[in-house]
Amino acid sequence: MRSLNSDTPTNAAPYRRGWLAAGPIICLQGFLGLSPQASRQTMFVINESTFRILRQVAFALIVAASRLEVGLVIGWSAVLPKLRADNATSFTVTDQDVTWLVSLPGISGVAMTLAVGPLIEFTGPTRLLRALLFLAGVLWLLQAFTPYLSLLYLGRIGSCLAFNAVGPLAPALISELVEPSVRGSLVAVVEAVVALGQLAVYCLADALPWRLTTALCAAPFFAVFVLAFLVPESPYWLLRQDRSEDAAKALARLRGPVKDTSVELDEIAKGIKERPQSTLKDQVKQLSVAQNFRPVLFLASVFVLRELGGQYVVFSYTVYLFREAGVSMDAYTCTILVGAVRLACTVLGSLLLGRVGRRPMLLATSVVCGLAELVGGAFLLGQFPGASWVPLAAVLVFVSSYGLGLSPVPWVLLGELLPTAVRSVGTSICVFNFALSIFIVSYTFPPLVEHAGVGTALIAFAGFHFVLSVITWAFLPETRGKSLSDLKDAFTSAPKEADGAAAGEGKRTENAKDTNV
């Protein structure tokens, strides 16, 4: 076999491993008339880029798998009808217990989320992730095999605390681990994992007893816990801890042995020095600066309005909703259909997010979600004969639009827009408002339906989505294709100016990608 030429890069092992895979590409280049030397050079660049991206994708997927906790906690409510009907259970679950068990993710988040940001800074995001994964598995087993209602509550509260910690941790950590060119799609994957968790627990709840369903929820976390030891610590966090040597090693693991990471490391260090993230007291003081306060206020408003739009009750009270709406199909079948549609559209949304952009995706999907709820609510209030399929269709349109943009985009923006100077306290504020909104909506939904009906509740939810659309149109700058350093001043200029800058940066990014390939 012909040996590599002397101008081959010294560290050629990755390229040799990819030689066979690049064979068809070289053949195509020969067909197009390119020289063998040009073919080999192109192969090297393709392999270097491919291995670097695949390495980051692998790490990001391990982190994203932690968000199964979110989907399982939300979807677990589907087991409650079987739990209440199980005569072998040694305790009784009342209507009030159902309301509290469904609402616990919100109330536990109110108590937990103000500590999430400081906890991440104290322990390190990757180390905290491992602890949460192991804890989540143990708590699901506690809920599955408890002989007492009090222990069921205890396990549920613990799972909800992990739910509220993993929520902001996973997208923020992925944003700090991967390159800007793939950041949006990979951060959006966390919502696809949430949808997968929901669909899994919906299917299990329909097919299996509630105890077995709950026990199976524990299985993935122990496996991901082991895999999480492969994920390096965030270079951003290590630099904030003055561990520059460890940060360089972590970044080298993330980018691979071939890529020179010194420039990227210097850029990260420069951004941290310009806006240092220090004590909680200092971060609170930094909130008085407009360019720090504005993105926190905007993101908190997005999360509040999204939850007031009713997404949590749609996914948590799904069986109950379809029974109340009088849909002719079996309620569990409808619930599984909802989970499948959300998963498919969330995957599609993660693919589109890097191409379409955050601003148009959030704006369009919030409008469609509001229209779907408005139509569904109007048909329920009108009681039109032969239109029992309309509420199901409206819910499926809502779920598909939510999965495409309204679900992943706020979490992507949380990792992109919060300035380093207030990242911890800003994350805590946003997730606190997110959790408080979940509790308010989930706890008040049953009495609202009892006194006003499902139709009125859906119309009220639609109003909040339209308000969200206006705020998005007025204030959200585009962030696609911009590095975290570029985004630190995103709220110092008007949205249109930021959009233009983002568009230009997006074009430069695409051009850079083209030259690399």
Side-chain angles (χ1 to χ4, degrees), residues 97-372:
D97 288 325
V98 170
T99 300
W100 275 109
L101 288 169
V102 173
S103 304
L104 278 176
I107 193 62
S108 64
V110 171
M112 172 70 175
T113 51
L114 287 180
V116 171
L119 186 61
I120 292 173
E121 282 304 303
F122 179 75
T123 62
T126 303
R127 189 184 304 172
L128 179 60
L129 180 74
R130 296 170 191 148
L132 290 171
L133 288 167
F134 184 79
L135 181 64
V138 172
L139 290 168
W140 281 111
L141 293 178
L142 175 63
Q143 293 174 78
F145 300 111
T146 176
Y148 306 111
L149 181 61
S150 58
L151 288 181
L152 178 66
Y153 267 94
L154 180 62
R156 177 69 171 170
I157 291 172
S159 292
C160 294
L161 291 175
F163 158 96
N164 284 288
V166 166
L169 173 59
L173 179 56
I174 292 175
S175 294
E176 294 184 349
L177 294 181
V178 303
E179 298 176 29
S181 61
V182 294
R183 185 183 61 228
S185 296
L186 287 177
V187 173
V189 166
V190 300
E191 288 304 303
V193 174
V194 173
L196 178 62
Q198 279 185 241
L199 177 59
V201 78
Y202 288 160
C203 294
L204 293 172
D206 182 38
L208 301 174
W210 76 271
R211 285 191 187 274
L212 183 55
T213 296
T214 307
L216 289 175
C217 290
F221 295 106
F222 294 115
V224 181
F225 166 72
V226 175
L227 292 174
F229 283 91
L230 301 175
V231 180
E233 189 54 86
S234 163
Y236 287 81
W237 182 81
L238 291 169
L239 285 174
R240 290 196 294 269
Q241 305 301 313
D242 294 325
R243 296 167 56 182
S244 56
E245 186 175 342
D246 292 335
K249 291 179 181 178
L251 196 60
R253 284 190 61 195
L254 289 166
R255 304 297 183 255
V258 177
K259 182 177 175 61
D260 182 8
T261 59
S262 58
V263 175
E264 183 178 359
L265 191 67
D266 290 341
E267 183 181 343
I268 295 172
K270 181 181 178 181
I272 291 174
K273 288 179 180 178
E274 288 177 353
R275 287 173 174 79
Q277 186 177 41
S278 50
T279 65
L280 179 62
K281 182 179 179 180
D282 291 336
Q283 290 188 52
V284 172
K285 289 182 179 179
Q286 287 290 330
L287 283 174
S288 61
V289 180
Q291 67 187 42
N292 295 333
F293 172 73
R294 289 171 181 169
V296 173
L297 178 62
F298 171 77
L299 287 171
S301 301
V302 168
F303 278 104
V304 168
L305 290 169
R306 187 186 74 164
E307 299 314 311
L308 292 180
Q311 67 87 15
Y312 182 77
V313 299
V314 169
F315 294 116
S316 296
Y317 288 104
T318 316
V319 176
Y320 172 80
L321 262 176
F322 286 123
R323 287 176 177 173
E324 285 292 309
V327 177
S328 57
M329 289 178 62
D330 174 68
Y332 273 103
T333 302
C334 294
T335 300
I336 294 172
L337 185 59
V338 164
V341 169
R342 181 184 178 182
L343 176 59
C345 291
T346 302
V347 171
L348 178 60
S350 68
L351 298 175
L352 292 176
L353 196 57
R355 298 176 179 271
V356 178
R358 286 54 154 164
R359 177 180 164 88
M361 288 284 281
L362 184 60
L363 180 60
T365 54
S366 58
V367 170
V368 173
C369 283
L371 289 174

